[in-house]
Amino acid sequence: MKPVSPQLLDVSGRICVTPPYFALTDLRQTAPGEVSAGIPVETDPGRQATGISLFEAARHLSNLGLAAASTINRGSGRHYYLANTGDCHWLAPALRPGALPAKTFQGHAQATFTDSRHATARTQLTDSAGTTLARLTVAYDVLSDRLFTHFFGQPSACTPRLHNPYSQSFPLDDIAFHRSGASAKISVTPELCAGHFDGYPALPASATAAAMTTLIDHLVARENPSARWRPAAFHFEAAELAWAGTTMTVTVTPTARAHTSCTMNCTAQINDKVVTATNVDIEVHGC
């Protein structure tokens, strides 16, 4: 007998994110706490020498991890999975200039709960041949619908989804360069938070990190207009939600510089409070 393929999985009633933020395709459960899905490419990677940008991959893999966790969550109804830390190792080599990137990617995730309020997912990104391109581990704070409402109040009216903000480069305002690096501002609007979360518009941590990589692009281009970069690893910590209606300041500071590599220390702040902090190790090509 032929093995039975895993059935399509519908987690829409059990998770906090919706389209367009949640954009996985062909989501399937392969075992309790384990899922796989197609990973779409919606955003141009910019100066990244990759087939899919670092934080677009992180966005999809983080969503895949919470989908995996939802299959073993003993609580009923919808839960909010708030990513608080993540570590990624990028294994794919840099694409050569002019090389055509892969058109399809696959994601795999395995999730576990340490207790009812905390989950961890180990995920990987592969190409169509099954080669592992990146590994990401994400930790989540898990809140039931009731608890989330208790902490953050009743939901507001949902913003109409007129477009997909995750399919274009992140809009940065007031970009400034200085001795230690670069900074920019982001006006957080409900439209930028589409699908995260309905009734509680908050900028996803992966979108904040994508803004950081856009600022990295500007820094790399300032030193060499033809240069491209490849991520090697990153660590992120999300301490607060960036609610719609706020203005966030993003800074990028290069450290541990070598001829073709460095670490980009990135922070996103609202007033004096750090919302997200990310360290990205990069290799610069075309120097």
Side-chain angles (χ1 to χ4, degrees):
M1 293 179 61
K2 292 183 179 180
V4 178
S5 298
Q7 295 296 306
L8 285 171
L9 180 64
D10 181 7
V11 295
S12 57
R14 297 184 59 81
I15 64 175
C16 54
V17 289
T18 56
Y21 184 68
F22 189 88
L24 300 172
T25 64
D26 196 34
L27 178 64
R28 295 177 185 269
Q29 182 174 349
T30 53
E34 297 183 21
V35 297
S36 66
I39 301 292
V41 180
E42 298 183 314
T43 309
D44 188 310
R47 290 187 173 272
Q48 297 175 58
T50 56
I52 182 172
S53 69
L54 173 63
F55 286 110
E56 180 172 16
R59 164 194 156 204
H60 295 311
L61 291 176
S62 178
N63 282 339
L64 190 64
L66 66 85
S70 75
T71 68
I72 53 172
N73 190 335
R74 295 181 180 179
S76 60
R78 184 173 63 171
H79 284 71
Y80 289 76
Y81 294 81
L82 308 180
N84 56 60
T85 59
D87 287 281
C88 177
H89 294 279
W90 195 270
L91 307 175
L95 287 178
R96 299 187 307 276
L100 294 176
K103 294 182 178 180
T104 60
F105 296 94
Q106 190 76 10
H108 311 268
Q110 181 180 32
T112 56
F113 276 81
T114 53
D115 57 50
S116 63
R117 293 278 300 276
H118 300 93
T120 300
R122 292 172 176 80
T123 74
Q124 61 178 338
L125 177 75
T126 65
D127 62 16
S128 58
T131 303
T132 300
L133 307 177
R135 292 192 177 95
L136 171 69
T137 300
V138 189
Y140 310 87
D141 294 322
V142 184
L143 298 177
S144 67
D145 212 353
R146 179 185 62 81
L147 272 178
F148 196 86
T149 301
H150 171 75
F151 288 127
F152 299 110
Q154 293 297 318
S156 60
C158 294
T159 302
R161 295 165 188 164
L162 303 178
H163 71 292
N164 179 2
Y166 314 108
S167 64
Q168 55 197 17
S169 297
F170 207 92
L172 299 178
D173 300 321
D174 300 333
I175 298 173
F177 299 99
H178 38 81
R179 286 186 178 181
S180 58
S183 63
K185 293 189 181 300
I186 299 168
S187 297
V188 183
T189 65
E191 291 77 13
L192 288 179
C193 310
H196 186 279
F197 310 105
D198 288 344
Y200 300 92
L203 195 67
S206 61
T208 301
M212 294 171 176
T213 58
T214 299
L215 196 53
I216 291 173
D217 277 2
H218 285 283
L219 268 177
V220 170
R222 191 166 186 256
E223 294 194 3
N224 183 343
S226 64
R228 298 155 72 238
W229 59 275
R230 169 194 175 272
F234 82 84
H235 171 80
F236 85 85
E237 297 182 5
E240 300 280 344
L241 290 171
W243 298 105
T246 59
T247 298
M248 187 161 55
T249 300
V250 175
T251 60
V252 174
T253 305
T255 61
R257 282 177 175 265
H259 177 59
T260 60
S261 65
C262 71
T263 297
M264 297 288 189
N265 294 333
C266 313
T267 60
Q269 292 181 236
I270 296 175
N271 297 323
D272 294 328
K273 184 175 292 186
V274 174
V275 174
T276 305
T278 303
N279 295 328
V280 187
D281 296 332
I282 72 170
E283 301 167 358
V284 181
H285 295 258
C287 293

